[in-house]
Amino acid sequence: MKKMNMEEAVRTRGTTEVGTRFINSSGKPFAEFASGDSFSAEFEILRADLAGLFMESVESLDNVQFKYGDYIKSLEQTPKNINVTFAGGSNETFDLVVGADGTTSTTRPMILDEPILKDGFNFIGQYIAFFTIPSQPTDGKFWLCYNAPKGLSVMIRPHRNTSTMGAYLCITTPKHGVQDPVVEKAMDQGTEETKKMLREYFKDAGWEAMRVLDGMDQADDFYMSRATQVILPKWTNSRALVIGDAAFATFGVGTTLAIESAYVLAGELSKIQSSEEVLQAVERYEEVFRPLYKKMEVLPRGFPQVAFPQTKWALGLRDSVLWGVSKTGLYKLFQGGEGQKWNLPEYEWADVPEMSKSVSI
Ligand SMILES: Cc1cc2nc3c(=O)[nH]c(=O)nc-3n(C[C@H](O)[C@H](O)[C@H](O)COP(=O)(O)OP(=O)(O)OC[C@H]3O[C@@H](n4cnc5c(N)ncnc54)[C@H](O)[C@@H]3O)c2cc1C
């Protein structure tokens, strides 16, 4: 963000969250972590606000074209370029296609072959619903996390706009890869059925579950997703590649990886002088970024099942551990290790050559 001169803008649009509190069923905190220490990151910004900032910085450029309401239907690579057919019917030719269409990317199978995609998707056994609810004067600026047995969790987090709060309802299954057939069926049936299912699951969960469920019924930004890690042995194929969640969806650092991978790709492209050299830049991108990403590929052992347990007993144990580490500050000893270091390459931005055309979807 510093390299893009965006740090200040991100800070001024942050959600204002000051830390994370784990609470019991009466709303009393038993463990607290300051912002930047662990759960609440140094930067907390809503995805739409971050996307808005990126848009603001490029929409005035006359060499960038935006298309809305359309998507790629097919791709055909030739030795010199890549032909794209859009669902809207148009055909265009590009030097490079970057699939940045998220975890459920439909462009990915057009770019990467089946053997590369096989085994690339790891459902970690968690469903997350996210939406906006009205705030209450007692809400404050902490991320409040409440857990109940059967892997249920209700969370609310502050927004910059003081009249609303972000709400999450999480359902965690006992093991990675294990689906909940009731949740699956409801999600396949659409938003209304999903909301009905959540009401049934959370009606007796405790704390402010009823308030959150009532807010959910009114929310117009509701969505629910299956928490899936994407791990692929290759992200690039000649003049096409996937980036961000489409290539390496993970947890906690997804946005960091998405931004940094785009930075490295842009940097490697900035070093070439012609369309012929795009292939080299693409190869180099994978060479440079994969070692940076590798440090983030493995999730903490037992995540998320240990943090969202099924039984009252396991939840009590988890709460005791959280209480202990928050009181002693022991977790700070494990921060700043090798895995936390990100040495980004430097690029000479001033000499970016004029490309014939590029598209990001
Ligand atoms: C509930 C939840 C909480 C999260 N919390 C955090 C967090 O605290 N910290 C963190 O770092 N990350 C978090 N993440 C992950 C983070 O949101 C992603 O890692 C990040 O948004 C990835 O960016 P992206 O641009 O690759 O993909 P996305 O943000 O998913 O963007 C993909 C875009 O492509 C569009 N699209 C889809 N299909 C097509 C198509 N065929 N053609 C054109 N466009 C298409 C979509 O509409 C979307 O706008 C969270 C994710 C979820 C679901």
Side-chain angles (χ1 to χ4, degrees), residues 19-294:
T20 307
R21 279 182 178 155
F22 289 85
I23 55 172
N24 63 21
S25 56
S26 0
K28 199 164 176 278
F30 60 85
E32 180 175 313
F33 300 88
S35 187
D37 268 358
S38 50
F39 301 98
S40 301
E42 183 189 357
F43 297 96
E44 289 290 350
I45 181 168
L46 295 180
R47 183 164 62 168
D49 288 338
L50 186 61
L53 278 176
F54 285 128
M55 284 300 293
E56 273 170 36
S57 56
V58 288
E59 62 194 352
S60 60
L61 302 175
D62 55 15
N63 60 347
V64 182
Q65 187 196 347
F66 298 92
K67 281 190 181 208
Y68 291 102
D70 207 354
Y71 57 93
I72 294 180
K73 204 170 138 204
S74 66
L75 294 173
E76 187 211 353
Q77 301 232 22
T78 74
K80 292 206 155 176
N81 48 37
I82 180 159
N83 298 323
V84 176
T85 304
F86 288 94
S90 59
N91 293 290
E92 288 188 60
T93 301
F94 298 95
D95 292 312
L96 171 68
V97 171
V98 180
D101 48 347
T103 313
T104 55
S105 169
T106 52
T107 318
R108 187 170 46 212
M110 297 177 215
I111 294 174
L112 300 171
D113 297 332
E114 181 49 33
I116 289 171
L117 298 175
K118 196 168 117 344
D119 306 326
F121 310 97
N122 170 20
F123 172 60
I124 64 164
Q126 189 172 56
Y127 302 91
I128 309 169
F130 177 80
F131 45 93
T132 298
I133 61 170
S135 64
Q136 285 183 354
T138 47
D139 283 335
K141 290 290 178 191
F142 276 88
W143 174 7
L144 301 179
C145 302
Y146 168 70
N147 285 71
K150 297 190 187 156
L152 302 183
S153 176
V154 182
M155 306 180 197
I156 57 174
R157 306 181 73 165
H159 280 172
R160 177 160 213 87
N161 165 6
T162 51
S163 60
T164 60
M165 298 289 283
Y168 298 76
L169 293 174
C170 297
I171 300 171
T172 306
T173 68
K175 241 173 110 185
H176 273 210
V178 171
Q179 295 183 330
D180 180 323
V182 178
V183 179
E184 288 290 329
K185 187 173 172 207
M187 285 177 73
D188 288 345
Q189 286 175 328
T191 301
E192 284 319 305
E193 287 306 313
T194 306
K195 285 185 175 180
K196 256 193 227 161
M197 174 276 296
L198 286 169
R199 192 166 269 283
E200 204 44 42
Y201 270 62
F202 282 90
K203 66 178 193 237
D204 301 318
W207 185 51
E208 296 199 357
M210 289 313 285
R211 168 193 166 198
V212 170
L213 289 171
D214 290 345
M216 172 187 77
D217 286 342
Q218 307 304 320
D220 58 7
D221 59 349
F222 174 93
Y223 71 88
M224 186 156 180
S225 60
R226 298 165 176 90
T228 305
Q229 205 185 4
V230 176
I231 303 179
L232 301 173
K234 190 123 178 81
W235 306 317
T236 59
N237 180 8
S238 305
R239 289 180 177 273
L241 61 100
V242 281
I243 204 166
D245 272 15
F248 32 72
T250 187
F251 299 90
V253 288
T255 310
T256 305
L257 289 174
I259 296 172
E260 294 189 345
S261 56
Y263 167 79
V264 172
L265 176 63
E268 293 304 326
L269 287 168
S270 76
K271 294 199 296 200
I272 62 169
Q273 302 302 322
S274 67
S275 170
E276 285 71 48
E277 291 173 283
V278 165
L279 295 175
Q280 281 158 249
V282 167
E283 265 175 39
R284 186 81 189 119
Y285 156 71
E286 180 135 10
E287 269 168 36
V288 173
F289 193 65
R290 198 166 274 279
L292 292 174
Y293 153 80
K294 206 75 188 155

